[in-house]
Amino acid sequence: GEGQVKGVFNYNEEGANIVNFVKSLGIKGVDVIYDTVGGNKNAKDLLRLIKFGGRFLVIGWTSTPLAGGGRGAGADHATANSVPTNLIMMKGAQVIGCPVAIHTRLNPAIRKQRLQTIDEWVKQDLIKPYSSHNFAFNQFREALLAKWNRSITGNCILRCQD
């Protein structure tokens, strides 16, 4: 129904195909796309799935060649920041940039309210933060390397005491 999350897609799974996934849900498109990856191929596939008048939220740009301190992460430098404007027009879509870090830096007062909202969602069990790794404090080097090498999914925990 309206206002419900119908599914969550993991593009890292072998053979993952967002178009087939949405079709398997038995719906005729989505109202909101929450894109944390970016890139030309991803944008094309996602915009094909959006309903007329839907919103395309650009949250991150991990496919961008200079994301993550310039490491590039294997991004296609020619198309990493391309968005197919023909699909935006045909779908009457709104593309909205949501640069959380930049917004918070420009308006630090919003941080407290955002964190309170997230804390409330966690307390109400609406979201469950995920940490793929757990390190003792004396393993802080390994924790930083795991983060740098993109071995971490979600986040990691660095325990101050055992």
Side-chain angles (χ1 to χ4, degrees):
E2 190 174 318
Q4 294 180 344
V5 174
K6 294 290 187 176
V8 178
F9 178 75
N10 183 350
Y11 63 90
N12 283 323
E13 290 177 5
E14 191 173 330
N17 180 302
I18 187 69
V19 175
N20 291 340
F21 173 75
V22 171
K23 286 180 182 178
S24 76
L25 297 173
I27 58 177
K28 295 186 185 274
V30 297
D31 297 307
V32 178
I33 301 287
Y34 181 94
D35 182 17
T36 61
V37 178
N40 191 23
K41 165 107 174 73
N42 203 45
K44 279 183 185 176
D45 289 346
L46 294 171
L47 282 166
R48 284 190 173 102
L49 297 170
I50 204 166
K51 289 180 182 176
F52 188 84
R55 288 185 229 139
F56 187 91
L57 309 178
V58 182
I59 308 298
W61 45 76
T62 56
S63 72
T64 300
L66 300 179
R71 293 185 301 246
D76 179 350
H77 292 250
T79 63
N81 290 316
S82 299
V83 178
T85 54
N86 62 321
L87 291 173
I88 294 167
M89 290 293 292
M90 290 187 315
K91 297 288 189 156
Q94 298 174 36
V95 178
I96 304 168
C98 304
V100 176
I102 296 168
H103 191 204
T104 303
R105 182 175 48 83
L106 295 174
N107 184 2
I110 64 173
R111 183 173 173 76
K112 183 177 179 181
Q113 178 58 43
R114 285 182 173 173
L115 290 174
Q116 288 173 339
T117 300
I118 291 169
D119 285 343
E120 277 303 309
W121 289 347
V122 170
K123 287 176 190 170
Q124 295 171 23
D125 220 16
L126 295 172
I127 60 172
K128 295 177 185 174
Y130 180 76
S131 296
S132 64
H133 291 68
N134 198 323
F135 297 94
F137 188 75
N138 64 354
Q139 295 177 299
F140 70 91
R141 286 181 184 88
E142 291 87 348
L144 288 170
L145 281 172
K147 189 81 168 165
W148 179 257
N149 292 324
R150 295 190 162 121
S151 303
I152 305 287
T153 301
N155 225 323
C156 69
I157 295 171
L158 189 60
R159 297 183 317 278
C160 293
Q161 298 176 344
D162 275 329

